[in-house]
Amino acid sequence: MTNHAELESCLSYFREFVTARQGERELVDFDGPVIGVSCNFVPDELVWAVGGRTVRLCGGDSQWQEEGENLLSRHVCPVATATAALPKMDPQLWERLDLLVIPASCDAKKKLA
């Protein structure tokens, strides 16, 4: 059985990855295709099969959502508004994307696509 300190140690990379946008920093030297996705319905294995990497575009940053509300109604899904703000909030990531996949899992995402 693991104790609390061991669990915290195991989660430290995950926390750094999420809070510091480590995944996007790791793309700087990556030469393959980068696929932006807005949902878990896009299997990473399909992207890996073509030598690519996925970047989740709706990372839970409330600033992105607030910026997206300047483009879309504030009554639209927060995931869709945050994704719509991508070109303004992170232009380097936007330029780095080779493909953007927005599954038609809800009406807001269908319209966003």
Side-chain angles (χ1 to χ4, degrees):
M1 180 174 213
T2 60
N3 63 31
H4 183 69
E6 289 173 343
L7 182 60
E8 285 298 317
S9 175
C10 293
L11 291 174
S12 65
Y13 175 78
F14 173 75
R15 286 196 178 108
E16 172 65 19
F17 190 89
V18 171
T19 59
R21 303 181 72 95
Q22 179 66 26
E24 292 165 27
R25 287 190 306 206
E26 291 176 4
L27 294 174
V28 171
D29 297 324
F30 181 67
D31 291 329
V34 177
I35 314 300
V37 298
S38 66
C39 190
N40 289 344
F41 293 135
V42 179
D44 289 332
E45 292 81 3
L46 290 177
V47 176
W48 298 337
V50 297
R53 290 210 183 142
T54 57
V55 175
R56 301 267 182 241
L57 302 178
C58 49
D61 191 332
S62 63
Q63 291 178 341
W64 285 42
Q65 178 201 354
E66 292 168 9
E67 185 61 38
E69 288 177 356
N70 292 329
L71 302 169
L72 306 172
S73 168
R74 59 178 271 214
H75 300 292
V76 173
C77 165
V79 172
T81 55
T83 303
L86 173 65
K88 182 173 182 180
M89 297 300 288
D90 197 340
Q92 289 178 322
L93 176 60
W94 177 251
E95 291 294 324
R96 180 64 178 97
L97 294 179
D98 295 298
L99 179 68
L100 180 61
V101 179
I102 302 176
S105 56
C106 73
D107 191 48
K109 288 181 188 172
K110 286 180 198 175
K111 290 176 181 174
L112 178 63

